[in-house]
Amino acid sequence: MTDPLYELLVPYFDDPPSSRPVPDSNDPVVSKYLNRLTTLPLSSLTSQESQSLAQSSHSNLLSIQSLSSRSNAAVIASADHFSTLPETLPILTEEVNQLQTEIPKLDQSAVNFSTTYSRSTENEMLDRRKRALLMERNADRLSDILDLPTLLSSAIASSAALGATSVTNYATALDLYSHIKRLHLLYSDSPLIDSIYAQTESAMQDLKSHLITSLRGQNIKLAAAMRTISWLRRVAPELESTKNGGGNTEGLLGYLFLVCRLSTLVHTLSALEPLRQLADQESQIRLRNNSRPGGAGKINGNAYQGGQQSERYVKKYIEIFREQSFGIISMYKSIFPGSTDESTAEVQTHFRSASSGQFKPKQDVSTTPPSALATFPSHLTDLLFDTLKEYLPNVQDKTSKESLLTQILYCAGSLGRLGGDFSLMVAMLDAGGADVSHSSEEDDDEESGEGEWVEVMKKHRELAGRLEALASGVGAGKGVDKGGSIRVKPRP
């Protein structure tokens, strides 16, 4: 229903004429304003309402100006976008239609991908991807495994630089080698592990060489030698295994140890080369004088000097031989205690046979290989006696010669404590030395030579008996008189 007040005001909407549209009676703003007019008194309508309308109009104008100032850029941009909207809407419609067409194809491709790369089916590409992901997750472990040969080589190099005293580095190298062998056993079908194991074997060959070289050290101690042999047992177990029965319980390690120490002994004796050259000169002079007719025993004292250089050489030779040979055999028995009893018996049998001139036939080493120590002392003795037979005849002074023979007997006694007593073979020295003499007094020389070594042997045994009696009788109140017999002090 139309408001009566609105009908009264309709004739005045176009007075004066205006381009503004006529207010709608149903407009909530118009209805609100008309309701407000009905509540005002007549005086307010005639005096204050016009001012209120002017003030509201001015306020609205300011608000519109402020809004247009703030929103100018946005309005212009909106207008520009709105101008392009007629062109954009058809393009958008076309693309939406194209998307609707492609969605079934996308769905079919997703279904095919899901079917192809499903975990329930086997797929080569998926397997390669799994392996690649597995390798990525274990990259640190693979890096550590690849570094094993380098670490092993570094440990071996540092051990070689420090020598036999490098216990930690050798132990570390052997632990690394054991770990790599365990990996090779667990993953024998892996080419990577095979490559690492091959590099490790090459490095372990260097380690074996370093260990063998350390056995040839000049002043190696028993503890270092035992550690080196134990490391060789771990590095080269094939050297310890014995295919045949018999007395050889230490395997090839015993032979290796004795060969290395023999090499050290020979190298140490080679330091006496200057003295040996002087002794060779005396040997040449002696042989030249003996080869002259009637010239045996008539030696130029100024050129020959009674074999002093030979005496010095033989004395130094025996000192080094005694110390080194005793150390080698005692160290061997400490490292390989399982084969010492049978080896000692074999050595003693050999020396008894050698001293009596009766040699037993050799064993068949293809069936029962002998112990390494069974023949080593005899080899040492041959090495010593070859030198003595060559240079001892040069010594003409009886006192000096007896001193050297006594020194040889002490050396024999030293080895005798280890089962290698060769004191009875001293008689072979004079027999061999008599062969080089071609004088007319050959029989007298042989008799004097025989008496010489027999006399030295008697003096040595007499002195040894005195020392033994003195050592055993100190606590019992016994003594030794000048004649060498034991005397007991009378009790009070």
Side-chain angles (χ1 to χ4, degrees):
M1 182 177 179
T2 305
D3 191 349
L5 182 59
Y6 176 79
E7 293 178 355
L8 291 175
L9 295 176
V10 168
Y12 299 98
F13 287 158
D14 291 332
D15 187 18
S18 175
S19 60
R20 291 180 297 178
V22 177
D24 188 4
S25 60
N26 296 325
D27 190 352
V29 177
V30 174
S31 300
K32 182 179 179 180
Y33 180 70
L34 292 177
N35 291 331
R36 177 177 173 276
L37 289 178
T38 56
T39 59
L40 295 176
L42 182 60
S43 59
S44 297
L45 291 176
T46 57
S47 60
Q48 298 178 0
E49 186 61 23
S50 59
Q51 296 178 358
S52 176
L53 291 176
Q55 186 177 3
S56 297
S57 176
H58 182 69
S59 177
N60 292 334
L61 178 63
L62 292 177
S63 299
I64 292 173
Q65 289 177 353
S66 177
L67 178 62
S68 62
S69 176
R70 290 195 307 269
S71 305
N72 182 37
V75 171
I76 293 174
S78 299
D80 292 339
H81 291 307
F82 183 75
S83 63
T84 59
L85 188 61
E87 299 176 358
T88 306
L89 285 177
I91 297 174
L92 178 62
T93 302
E94 183 180 357
E95 291 180 352
V96 168
N97 293 333
Q98 185 178 0
L99 179 62
Q100 290 178 350
T101 305
E102 296 295 335
I103 283 178
K105 297 180 181 180
L106 178 62
D107 181 69
Q108 183 64 32
S109 299
V111 171
N112 292 336
F113 180 83
S114 176
T115 304
T116 303
Y117 297 102
S118 176
R119 294 184 178 181
S120 59
T121 59
E122 295 183 359
N123 186 273
E124 182 179 357
M125 186 179 298
L126 189 61
D127 292 340
R128 289 201 302 269
R129 185 180 180 187
K130 288 180 180 179
R131 289 195 297 268
L133 292 175
L134 181 61
M135 185 177 296
E136 182 183 3
R137 287 195 300 268
N138 296 276
D140 295 337
R141 295 181 179 178
L142 291 175
S143 178
D144 294 339
I145 293 175
L146 291 174
D147 290 338
L148 288 177
T150 305
L151 292 175
L152 180 61
S153 300
S154 300
I156 293 173
S158 60
S159 301
L162 296 176
T165 58
S166 177
V167 180
T168 305
N169 290 331
Y170 276 125
T172 302
L174 293 175
D175 291 340
L176 287 173
Y177 178 63
S178 300
H179 180 62
I180 294 173
K181 285 184 65 178
R182 185 163 55 252
L183 289 177
H184 186 255
L185 291 175
L186 293 175
Y187 308 102
S188 57
D189 56 344
S190 173
L192 177 63
I193 300 298
D194 289 340
S195 175
I196 292 174
Y197 184 73
Q199 298 177 35
T200 302
E201 287 296 323
S202 176
M204 293 309 293
Q205 294 299 325
D206 296 337
L207 178 58
K208 294 176 185 177
S209 301
H210 295 324
L211 291 175
I212 294 174
T213 303
S214 65
L215 285 178
R216 299 174 62 183
Q218 187 68 31
N219 297 318
I220 188 171
K221 303 299 181 182
L222 176 60
M226 295 184 71
R227 285 197 301 267
T228 303
I229 293 297
S230 65
W231 290 331
L232 280 173
R233 285 192 174 104
R234 293 179 59 183
V235 174
E238 66 276 4
L239 295 178
E240 191 180 16
S241 60
T242 54
K243 297 181 180 179
N244 300 316
N248 188 1
T249 59
E250 71 276 10
L252 297 178
L253 285 176
Y255 294 96
L256 177 63
F257 174 79
L258 293 179
V259 167
C260 291
R261 299 314 300 164
L262 179 61
S263 174
T264 304
L265 173 60
V266 173
H267 178 72
T268 305
L269 293 174
S270 65
L272 302 177
E273 182 66 20
L275 290 177
R276 190 186 68 81
Q277 293 177 358
L278 296 176
D280 287 337
Q281 295 177 4
E282 292 182 347
S283 297
Q284 293 175 2
I285 295 173
R286 176 177 60 83
L287 294 176
R288 186 166 56 250
N289 291 329
N290 289 336
S291 63
R292 295 175 183 175
K298 299 177 181 179
I299 301 173
N300 188 355
N302 294 330
Y304 190 62
Q305 298 179 353
Q308 293 181 2
Q309 302 301 331
S310 297
E311 178 191 358
R312 292 176 57 194
Y313 174 67
V314 172
K315 183 177 181 181
K316 291 290 185 181
Y317 191 98
I318 295 173
E319 289 178 358
I320 296 175
F321 179 86
R322 176 184 178 183
E323 178 184 358
Q324 294 291 331
S325 60
F326 182 83
I328 292 173
I329 298 178
S330 62
M331 196 179 297
Y332 180 91
K333 290 192 173 185
S334 298
I335 297 174
F336 306 101
S339 60
T340 56
D341 296 335
E342 186 174 351
S343 300
T344 302
E346 292 178 2
V347 170
Q348 293 174 350
T349 302
H350 175 80
F351 281 126
R352 285 195 298 268
S353 301
S355 61
S356 61
Q358 299 175 357
F359 294 93
K360 292 185 178 181
K362 295 182 179 180
Q363 284 183 316
D364 186 5
V365 296
S366 63
T367 56
T368 57
S371 173
L373 193 60
T375 56
F376 184 73
S378 62
H379 179 75
L380 289 178
T381 306
D382 293 340
L383 186 66
L384 174 63
F385 273 68
D386 289 342
T387 302
L388 294 177
K389 289 178 181 179
E390 184 175 358
Y391 297 105
L392 191 60
N394 295 341
V395 182
Q396 299 298 318
D397 184 63
K398 182 178 180 181
T399 305
S400 300
K401 197 167 187 178
E402 288 181 355
S403 176
L404 291 177
L405 291 174
T406 303
Q407 193 175 1
I408 295 171
L409 291 176
Y410 278 122
C411 181
S414 177
L415 287 180
R417 295 201 299 269
L418 300 175
D421 189 0
F422 58 89
S423 58
L424 296 179
M425 296 177 63
V426 177
M428 299 174 60
L429 276 178
D430 293 313
D435 294 338
V436 299
S437 177
H438 301 284
S439 65
S440 60
E441 300 176 354
E442 184 176 357
D443 295 337
D444 295 338
D445 292 341
E446 290 180 358
E447 292 176 1
S448 62
E450 182 179 358
E452 193 173 73
W453 76 264
V454 171
E455 184 179 355
V456 172
M457 182 72 74
K458 289 180 179 179
K459 290 181 179 180
H460 179 73
R461 290 185 175 180
E462 181 180 354
L463 180 59
R466 290 180 182 179
L467 294 176
E468 183 178 358
L470 182 62
S472 61
V474 168
K478 299 179 181 179
V480 181
D481 58 12
K482 294 183 179 179
S485 59
I486 302 175
R487 56 181 174 82
V488 181
K489 295 180 180 180
R491 294 183 179 178

